[in-house]
Amino acid sequence: MVSYNELYEQPNWITYCVRNVPKNVDRKGYNFRKDAQVWTSNNADYKNNIWDKGHLAPAAAFSDSEDNLKATFSFLNCTLQHQRLNRKEWAQLEQQVRDWAEAFGDMSVEVDVLFESNHRVLPTGAHVPSGFIKRIQFPDGSTKCFYFPNEDTLNKNWTQFEVACD
């Protein structure tokens, strides 16, 4: 489930479930696509800059079927995310959530996309998020929360971004 901000061309938030599922489909060859009914970001927003097309609901958690994987490659599920954050700590936490799902069962995840008043706006019109809050709920009802600023994370460990869930 996603809430999308057409003015900012970025998601407001997304919720999804990470299940312990086998990898049956490879993501190679998939490209992000626009939604016909929602004004979203597009490839031009990510060209020649430090911003990755960051999945909010990770493709790897939905690689059990072609339909599920394809659903993650929508600009509705894509955010302007600093390339080092996306490829390092963010990806490491995504893997950890999949590991927890394997060990404990289905995990509920919510991601809030944050915009400070002085956030960056690209020449293309897309707004760059200031940061992200990820809330992970375990099957026993316990919760872990993480705050990631949308910047070079300087190779910190993903655990250093854990915050109180209030």
Side-chain angles (χ1 to χ4, degrees):
M1 184 179 292
V2 65
S3 168
Y4 201 86
N5 186 324
E6 291 181 279
L7 177 64
Y8 281 18
E9 300 178 22
Q10 294 291 289
N12 294 309
W13 54 262
I14 192 166
T15 64
Y16 58 95
C17 180
V18 176
R19 303 162 293 130
N20 182 22
V21 295
K23 179 180 178 182
N24 295 323
V25 184
D26 190 270
R27 68 183 282 167
K28 186 177 181 180
Y30 282 87
N31 294 308
F32 281 92
R33 68 192 183 295
K34 291 183 62 72
D35 185 285
Q37 298 179 11
V38 180
W39 182 262
T40 65
S41 62
N42 59 53
N43 288 322
D45 300 317
Y46 300 87
K47 189 174 182 181
N48 299 323
N49 60 36
I50 60 170
W51 309 111
D52 271 357
K53 295 174 186 168
H55 279 88
L56 290 178
F62 296 91
S63 61
D64 59 317
S65 74
E66 190 170 330
D67 286 343
N68 286 344
L69 182 62
K70 184 178 178 182
T72 70
F73 280 90
S74 165
F75 279 106
L76 294 172
N77 181 44
C78 182
T79 189
L80 288 154
Q81 193 170 58
H82 193 285
Q83 61 190 4
R84 294 231 179 139
L85 170 61
N86 184 45
R87 298 172 194 182
K88 302 277 184 172
E89 292 79 11
W90 191 263
Q92 292 165 358
L93 179 55
E94 288 174 340
Q95 178 60 56
Q96 182 62 57
V97 174
R98 289 190 298 278
D99 292 346
W100 285 331
E102 182 178 352
F104 305 118
D106 293 357
M107 310 290 292
S108 295
V109 181
E110 300 174 8
V111 179
D112 289 326
V113 181
L114 308 175
F115 296 91
E116 294 175 2
S117 59
N118 62 342
H119 68 272
R120 184 182 310 194
V121 180
L122 299 179
T124 57
H127 293 234
V128 178
S130 305
F132 309 92
I133 294 178
K134 185 177 276 197
R135 288 178 203 84
I136 304 159
Q137 185 172 19
F138 289 76
D140 68 2
S142 63
T143 306
K144 287 187 175 282
C145 295
F146 299 84
Y147 169 73
F148 293 93
N150 195 14
E151 59 191 34
D152 185 343
T153 52
L154 305 173
N155 292 318
K156 294 180 180 176
N157 185 296
W158 63 268
T159 60
Q160 292 176 270
F161 295 93
E162 189 168 358
V163 296
C165 292
D166 54 3

